[in-house]
Structure formats: C-alpha cells, structure tokens
Amino acid sequence: MNYRSDIRNIAIIAHVDHGKTTLVDAMLKQSKVFRDNQVVGELIMDQNALEREKGITIMAKNTAIVYRGVKINIIDTPGHADFSGEVERVISMADGCLLLVDSMEGPMPQTKFVLRLAMGMGLKPIVVINKVDRQNLRIAEVLKLTEDLFLELAISANQLDFPVLYASAREGTVVTELGMKGKDIAPLLECILEKVPPPKIESGPFQMLVSNLDYDSHKGKIAIGRIWRGRVAPHDLVVNVGADGSVTHYEIGEVFTYLGLKHLKVEEAEAGDIVAVTGLDKVNIGDTIASPEQPEALPRIEIGEPTVEMTFGVNTSPFAGREGRFCTTRQLRARLYKELETNLSLRVQDTDSPDTFLVKGRGELHLAILIETMRREGYEFEVSKPEAIIKVVGGNLVEPVEVLTIDTKDEYIGVLTEMLSKRQAQLTDMRSDGHDNVRLVFHVPTKGLIGFRNAFSTATRGESIMNTIFLGYEPYHGDIISTRNGVLAAAEQGMALTYGLNNAQGRGFTFIEPGTIVYEGMIVGLNSRPQDIAINVCKEKKKSNVRASTSDIAIKLTPPIQLSLEQAIDFINNDELVEVTPGNIRLRKKLLTQAQRLRDISSSRRSVK
Ligand SMILES: Nc1nc2c(ncn2[C@@H]2O[C@H](COP(=O)(O)OP(=O)(O)OP(=O)(O)O)[C@@H](O)[C@H]2O)c(=O)[nH]1
Ligand SMILES: [Mg+2]
C-alpha cells in the first residue's frame, strides 16, 4: 500500500454556527490564495445567495490550500441538522476531520451526529475548541463533555487519542495550550500534517467515487470526487457505473483540482486527490467512474431518510400565472425531479392529482430552502403544511421522534413545558448553570415540532435557542390537535385599506399592509379566537358630509406581523396553503369562499356522527 505524502484530505464538522466557515476563511486568507489587494470579506465559502442572507452553510463545498509543500483539501460542511445529508454525501472523501466545538455552548446534538458519522468512516479527529476569544469560563467543562462524547462514539481505541487545539477562527489564531497568545493558524496546519494520515493509494487502474455535481454552461455536468485508484487525464476513456450497476462509456473532457476558490486545469491527477472532471453527461452522485479495464463500483453513499413531507402544487389561486415565469405542471415537475440529482436526502413522488407532487425532506428548513430557491428562479406554485412522515413497520404505525434542545432562561421553563406537553414532548434532561440560564432536553415527535418554532420565539421573546435532531422512529402516539387560533380571511377581492384593516385589528393580528391586493379566502391575519372569520379588509370609510369632530383623526394601524416563508409554512394548518411566487408569499384557505368552508365543516360534522 502506498501513501501520498503531498496531500491531506480533511472535513470540517460541527454543530451549526460553531465557526467552521470562519475557520476556512482563516485558512484561505493565511495561505495567500488571494492577491494582496483582493477584497474577499467573510464566510468566503458561503457563496450561495441564501447562504449569505441566512448566515448558514447549506451545501458542503471543497477548497484547498498548500502548506509547506502539502496540499490540504478542505471540505466545509453545514452544521444545521436539516442539511445532514450534505455531510453524509461528502465525508467519505476525507481521511481526517476537524471537530469544532464552541467554547461556550459545548458539544450540541449535531456535534454528536457528525462525530458519529466521522468515527464510523474511521476518520482521524482533531478537536478544535473555537471562539476562545470570548469571555467565558467553561472551557474545561466543554473539553470534558467532548471527551465523554468520544468515549461514547469511538469505535477504535486510537480514535480516543485526539489532539486538542484552541482557536479564535474570527481572529485567525490557533494555539496548542490554553492561555497562549496566538498569532496565526500555523499550529492547526502543523497538526493536520502530523496527525491526519496521508491518503492511501490502492494499486490498479483509475477509480473515483462521485460525491458532488456541478454545472457549467459551457462544460456541462462536472463530477466531483476523490480518486481512490490510479490516475486520470483529459480524453481518457472511462466507464460510469450507475446505481443499478449499468455501465456507460465516456471520454473524460477536462480534469481540474482545487486551489483556493479556483479550479485548476491539470494534465493529470492521481489517486488520493479530490478532482472535478467533465465529459460525463449522465453521471449521478454516488456513481463510480472507472477505467474500462476494471469497472468496479465503490460502495454507494448512504443518506438518511427524510422525516417531513409536504405537497408542491400548481398555483390555483385567483392570481395564478400573474407573477411567475414557470407556472405549469410540466415545469414544476421537471424542476422538482431535477433537484434530486444534487439534493440527495430529498424525495419527490407523483400523487393521484396530476398537478400535485409529494416532496419529502429532512426538516422544515430543508424544504423551505428548496421553495425559496425555486421562487427566486421564477417558479410560482403552492405548498401545503409540512407533516411528519408516518410509516408502517411490521404492521404497526411508527413516527419520527426528535431530540429537542432548548437554551433558555429560568422564567420560561413553565410556559415551554406546558406548550411542549400538548405536543407530546417528554422532558429528559434539565440543567441549570446557577445564573438563570437553563438547558432543557425533550424527546418530541416530529409532528409536535411543526408549527412550534413560531410559538417558541414568541413565547420566549426571541431570547432562547432551539435545536433539533432526528432520534429514530417510535410507535405512533396519535394526532395532536392544533392549538392555533383561527384566521382572518379576506371576504372579497380588492385592495386592502386602512379602514378595513383597522376593523380586522379589532379581531386579532394582521399580516398585510394597506395597499396589498387580496383575494377572497386569502389569509390576512390571525383571529384572537379559535374560529376562522371572513372579514372585509377592502372596506372604505363611509363618506359623510357631516364633519364629526373626530373624523379627521387619521387611523393608526399597528404594524402588521410579516411572516417569512419559513414562518408561513410553519403557521398554516391542513386546510390552508402557502402560495409562493417570485414576488409574493401569500397564505390562503384551501377553500376560498366562506360558503364552501361552512359546507365543508357541516359535512365533516355529519360524517363524524
Ligand atoms: N467571537 C467569535 N465568533 C466567531 C468565531 N468563529 C466564528 N464566529 C462567529 O460565529 C458565527 C458563525 O460562524 P460560521 O463560520 O458561519 O459558523 P459555521 O459553523 O460555518 O455555521 P454553519 O455552516 O451554518 O453550520 C459568525 O457570526 C462568526 O463570526 C470566533 O472564533 N470567535
Ligand atoms: Mg458554515
């Protein structure tokens, strides 16, 4: 067995926001991959518009730097649990991992998830306690908790022998002992060279596993992955082994390796390296590209199952077709199925209705990102309330259950436990730091978490943080009755006016500004009572000739609550939809007229009897 001492392949893994992408910034900046006068900013790898807006990584990405003559291929991964599929997809390219742990928060649910993955793949870990620039006194405790996690998850004794470094990714410094004054990230790079094993090279002809796909309008599909065996050069003849074992012959177009944010065109690349190749127009993630001499498939990438589903349908609102560029069933269907090529933990199914598709994902955010991406591309469609995926296993109904971790203040414990008990949650742990801060851990069915995020941030006035992670399937515990109040639905089509909205505010909260064009059945607010009511928000004040002393005082509306896309899909009930267009996000009743809704209620009452 040979090794390539000139390469190291590492994945950076952690819970959300623990500083992975910021650490990659420091590695890129200090390795001089940019021109001296180049303005690169922060979170350089988070280039996707939604990543920049939300400040989170959504897709795993590759980059590379050179340090003391060794190329370090770096894979930055997302830390949000909904994008776990991205970590699963790329982790097999690495031989080692940097496990980042926030010096205050300590190991979190996703820290455990990604570390378990890395241990399962046999990666050599390096622990980086990050954000040590902040005022905090918890580092010893955080380290102890991290060690406990390794004891629980390591599958071989040598995984317990991990180096620990202390970093301020933001300042671009790493030290080997706490209290040392850092000056750069050289100690981290030295540690990577020393501790992460160089890639092993198996002897034999070319073989690579495709872990990612990219597109280029000139070059077409680009397959990205690690070469496990042999070498590859432009114009080589290869075969692609698909999921069903089918073999397709291709000629390689160009071969690229990574350096900084660039793809470098190379004449040849060898086993151990991570490359991008063109020329294979039908390649999929998980396929093996190999020499025709020995076309053996590598094990396919295993991706966890989705837990949440919702329907995507052609827009059926009275405003359909006004704002989108792509509005037809055919366009919607093609777009959804195309997404499956790169979004590995997503599933799409046709339904009995030709205009509606069932889309399954790893969580509400996973689906919300897809919706937002499509809407920005010009698609117009409607989506239903997300629901937990219930399965039948061995003749019994089972449902997904998650671990919910909440960091909050003592004063909110009561209200949170009450809200969560209605959602079938069970408190499994509660730890207080003696300074009014408390961490609560619950086991809660996924169905109980749908619609919880909005209620949670309102109840704790935005002062608390919640995290969830998939635990497993458990026997179905029965339905949860919605505790949300009824809605204020527009009674007719037209422009919402201050006078009409003021009336609506007498009944509850409103969601729209004066001047918004509404249609009958569109949701314009939340009632303060359980029933839905239709309300005429387009109503004008009666003109009268008599000047009453108060009639000139302008009506002051309370500013509306403007729901983001994620809040909108979290808000709706089963008999409601979110209409998504490039210009607007509208909430609506499925049945638009009040007469239809009343008939529906009375017929469902009859069927209960
Ligand atoms: N004080 C301090 N803040 C940091 C440090 N490193 C990162 N941050 C901040 O933490 C936040 C999250 O950083 P990111 O680098 O986006 O975290 P991430 O792990 O890549 O997050 P995801 O990719 O979404 O999982 C940002 O506001 C950073 O500026 C650090 O060393 N010290
Ligand atoms: Mg990131």
Side-chain angles (χ1 to χ4, degrees), residues 218-256:
H218 300 296
K219 300 187 172 82
K221 237 182 202 180
I222 304 174
I224 298 159
R226 172 168 172 174
I227 308 179
W228 287 93
R229 224 171 47 189
R231 46 187 70 209
V232 66
H235 309 299
D236 278 0
L237 297 178
V238 293
V239 296
N240 183 55
V241 190
D244 54 358
S246 64
V247 168
T248 318
H249 289 259
Y250 288 106
E251 179 183 325
I252 296 276
E254 294 172 312
V255 180
F256 300 88

Side-chain angles (χ1 to χ4, degrees), residues 210-419:
V210 180
S211 298
N212 201 2
L213 288 181
D214 206 348
Y215 295 90
D216 181 287
S217 47
H218 300 296
K219 300 187 172 82
K221 237 182 202 180
I222 304 174
I224 298 159
R226 172 168 172 174
I227 308 179
W228 287 93
R229 224 171 47 189
R231 46 187 70 209
V232 66
H235 309 299
D236 278 0
L237 297 178
V238 293
V239 296
N240 183 55
V241 190
D244 54 358
S246 64
V247 168
T248 318
H249 289 259
Y250 288 106
E251 179 183 325
I252 296 276
E254 294 172 312
V255 180
F256 300 88
T257 58
Y258 287 88
L259 186 67
L261 304 182
K262 287 199 278 283
H263 282 172
L264 290 185
K265 198 166 158 180
V266 292
E267 285 310 309
E268 186 176 74
E270 248 183 286
D273 210 349
I274 294 173
V275 296
V277 298
T278 65
L280 291 81
D281 63 351
K282 292 252 159 55
V283 61
N284 285 311
I285 295 177
D287 291 358
T288 299
I289 309 176
S291 156
E293 285 168 51
Q294 224 172 304
E296 297 148 339
L298 288 156
R300 288 193 82 85
I301 297 167
E302 279 180 34
I303 299 284
E305 289 289 309
T307 50
V308 178
E309 64 188 17
M310 65 200 290
T311 62
F312 281 49
V314 165
N315 190 10
T316 56
S317 99
F319 296 170
R322 288 192 189 178
E323 291 159 13
R325 273 200 293 149
F326 309 112
C327 312
T328 66
T329 307
R330 196 174 48 81
Q331 288 164 331
L332 181 64
R333 184 172 192 279
R335 177 64 184 84
L336 287 173
Y337 279 92
K338 183 167 189 309
E339 182 68 18
L340 298 179
E341 286 187 0
T342 48
N343 203 334
L344 292 201
S345 38
L346 200 79
R347 303 280 182 277
V348 177
Q349 258 170 261
D350 290 352
T351 64
D352 295 341
S353 151
D355 295 339
T356 308
F357 306 94
L358 189 63
V359 181
K360 304 183 183 189
R362 286 286 264 271
E364 283 176 273
L365 185 62
H366 184 206
L367 295 169
I369 294 286
L370 173 63
I371 296 170
E372 184 63 37
T373 307
M374 287 173 60
R375 137 182 148 85
R376 290 181 186 201
E377 290 169 357
Y379 286 83
E380 175 177 320
F381 50 100
E382 62 191 29
V383 298
S384 69
K385 176 187 164 76
E387 291 190 62
I389 298 177
I390 314 286
K391 299 200 290 194
V392 182
V393 174
N396 298 314
L397 276 188
V398 292
E399 64 177 330
V401 176
E402 298 183 43
V403 180
L404 166 69
T405 309
I406 292 177
D407 286 299
T408 185
K409 303 238 176 279
D410 287 345
E411 61 183 290
Y412 300 123
I413 298 177
V415 51
L416 287 172
T417 24
E418 193 195 326
M419 279 164 68

Side-chain angles (χ1 to χ4, degrees), residues 16-22 56-57 79 130-131 133 168-170:
V16 66
D17 268 357
H18 282 194
K20 298 173 288 297
T21 309
T22 307
I56 57 167
T57 303
N130 189 31
K131 308 196 188 182
D133 54 284
S168 167
R170 191 184 268 173

Side-chain angles (χ1 to χ4, degrees), residues 17 19-22 43 45-46 55-58 61 76-79:
D17 268 357
K20 298 173 288 297
T21 309
T22 307
L43 302 177
M45 296 290 284
D46 289 346
I56 57 167
T57 303
I58 296 170
K61 289 177 224 77
D76 184 24
T77 65

Side-chain angles (χ1 to χ4, degrees), residues 179-195:
M180 277 167 73
K181 176 122 187 67
K183 72 175 198 303
D184 55 25
I185 53 154
L188 172 67
L189 303 179
E190 289 294 336
C191 185
I192 294 171
L193 296 204
E194 188 192 336
K195 299 288 182 179

